[in-house]
């Protein structure tokens, strides 16, 4: 069975939802969960979650050992590598990294490569100032 790519949304069922009311998601997110083995297709417009996962933020912080992927300091937030505010895409674990609050705020809604370039300039200036 396949999911209907043209459906306005996909219903999401899970045994642990107390209300019994299905959630809703987009086709891309539903397919991501099916491909990752987190869900099975039960109808052309519905999936059933078979794994109860921790929230995305918790999974990413653990994956990155609570270390900011930009500066190496302790991280307690997650940052979208591709700015979600500009591209409005579904977020998966592969699209976010652990970041400290400072780096997350400095990066704002810029693409990662622009932020890293600015961060490297800042570090080089600091290094030069220390050497002189």
């Amino acid at each position: 069975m396949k999911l209907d790519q043209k459906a306005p949304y996909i219903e999401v069922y899970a045994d642990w939802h107390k209300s019994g009311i299905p959630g809703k998601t987009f086709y891309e997110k539903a397919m991501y969960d099916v491909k990752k083995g987190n869900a099975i297709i039960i109808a052309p417009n519905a999936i059933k979650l078979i794994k109860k996962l921790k929230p995305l933020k918790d999974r990413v912080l653990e994956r990155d050992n609570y270390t900011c992927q930009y500066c190496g300091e302790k991280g307690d937030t997650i940052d979208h590598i591709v700015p979600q505010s500009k591209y409005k895409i579904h977020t998966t674990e592969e699209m976010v990294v652990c970041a400290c609050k400072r780096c997350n705020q400095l990066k704002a809604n810029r693409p990662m490569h622009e932020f890293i370039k600015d961060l490297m300039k800042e570090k080089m200036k600091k290094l030069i100032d220390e050497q002189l």
Side-chain angles (χ1 to χ4, degrees):
M1 186 178 320
K2 289 184 174 184
L3 285 176
D4 180 5
Q5 194 170 3
K6 295 180 182 175
Y9 61 85
I10 303 297
E11 292 184 346
V12 181
Y13 295 87
D15 291 339
W16 52 86
H17 283 290
K18 294 177 183 161
S19 68
I21 300 170
K24 296 177 183 178
T25 193
F26 297 106
Y27 171 83
E28 292 80 10
K29 167 71 168 110
M31 285 306 300
Y32 175 82
D33 283 333
V34 169
K35 287 179 183 175
K36 283 287 200 174
N38 300 330
I40 57 172
I41 300 170
I42 58 173
N45 68 335
I47 61 170
K48 180 177 181 180
L49 296 175
I50 56 175
K51 288 184 182 176
K52 187 173 182 178
L53 299 173
K54 291 180 182 181
L56 176 69
K57 179 179 178 181
D58 294 340
R59 295 193 315 263
V60 172
L61 292 177
E62 287 177 12
R63 178 197 70 198
D64 294 345
N65 295 316
Y66 295 86
T67 303
C68 177
Q69 298 300 294
Y70 301 120
C71 71
E73 298 295 321
K74 183 182 184 304
D76 55 2
T77 68
I78 60 172
D79 180 64
H80 290 84
I81 296 169
V82 175
Q84 193 176 34
S85 61
K86 288 186 178 182
Y87 299 100
K88 306 288 185 216
I89 53 179
H90 163 72
T91 302
T92 64
E93 288 176 53
E94 294 85 357
M95 302 168 102
V96 291
V97 295
C98 177
C100 66
K101 285 180 183 172
R102 177 181 176 270
C103 286
N104 203 342
Q105 289 174 346
L106 286 172
K107 180 178 170 285
N109 67 345
R110 295 184 289 170
M112 183 177 66
H113 69 278
E114 286 179 20
F115 172 65
I116 290 176
K117 190 164 83 175
D118 290 346
L119 194 63
M120 294 308 295
K121 285 179 188 175
E122 181 184 308
K123 286 186 177 188
M124 288 303 292
K125 285 179 187 176
K126 193 174 183 180
L127 182 65
I128 290 168
D129 287 344
E130 289 173 1
Q131 297 298 319
L132 296 177

